[in-house]
Amino acid sequence: MTAAPSTSADTTHPTGVPGLTTVENTSPADVAAYCSELTRPAYPHQEIYGQYCTIHEYVDCPPDEAYEYLKQGHHLEEWTFSLRNFEPAGTPGLWVGDDLLEAGTRIYCRVETNAEARTVDFHCSWDQGEQLWMIYLMRVVPAELVVNRPGSVITWTNCRHPFYDANPRPELAPRLDRTWVGGYWDLFYAGHTVEMANLKAILEHRHRSGVPVSVPPRAANGSTGPAVAR
């Protein structure tokens, strides 16, 4: 799959790096043929979602409003399937709540954001708050830029940390027969799709109804749920 090197001068192209496929060593026709070989009508689930799980959705809600909603951690109790009852965990910026997916399971959470890029990252873990290794990476993109529509495109990625395969603190489990969070990994795409549909429904309903997209926290003490770390 090689072709004669390009005759155009390119002082920026890396030299001495094996395995690169670029226009300098591969013709466009050859790379198109190779890409066709790599493209199949069906793919094993493990091959697509074994190490990384990414979903995305168009939402008819302005990106600034969608971002402000996501960054306020108490909204996790609205759009996620099972995260509830957050309260301060005693460390600044760290919150703890219940993951009702598994009875008796506590989940710790910290929110990290970047307003310029509209990223909202939820750093979480079951059972303990010392190492937040379950990280949910979300970004709100202005839909006008990418699909020429008003509203937002929201992306959500999870990476398969090794702790999904083995609980690093089994002694903290509320019971011996509890299913570990990693046992659900093969269902992450489907489960997160359900939650993204919840997020879309809430944002679109409130935006189209002309009411504020974000709502005050339900806690009587006014706490705002998992706090934002900037």
Side-chain angles (χ1 to χ4, degrees), residues 49-91:
Y49 305 115
Q51 187 61 38
Y52 307 98
C53 179
T54 295
I55 66 172
H56 35 76
E57 182 62 271
Y58 168 79
V59 180
D60 183 15
C61 177
D64 288 340
E65 293 184 41
Y67 168 74
E68 286 297 320
Y69 179 90
L70 274 177
K71 68 179 277 190
Q72 299 180 63
H74 67 277
H75 291 132
L76 286 167
E77 298 185 357
E78 288 194 327
W79 65 269
T80 66
F81 175 74
S82 59
L83 304 187
R84 302 293 185 269
N85 306 318
F86 279 107
E87 60 186 9
T91 299

Side-chain angles (χ1 to χ4, degrees), residues 95-119:
W95 289 68
V96 61
D98 297 317
D99 191 339
L100 302 181
L101 186 65
E102 286 290 334
T105 294
R106 300 288 271 168
I107 185 167
Y108 291 78
C109 183
R110 185 181 70 248
V111 186
E112 297 192 1
T113 69
N114 182 298
E116 184 175 358
R118 295 190 185 90
T119 58

Side-chain angles (χ1 to χ4, degrees), residues 181-199:
V181 62
Y184 293 100
W185 180 268
D186 285 345
L187 299 176
F188 266 34
Y189 180 85
H192 291 176
T193 297
V194 170
E195 292 183 316
M196 182 73 91
N198 290 344
L199 179 62

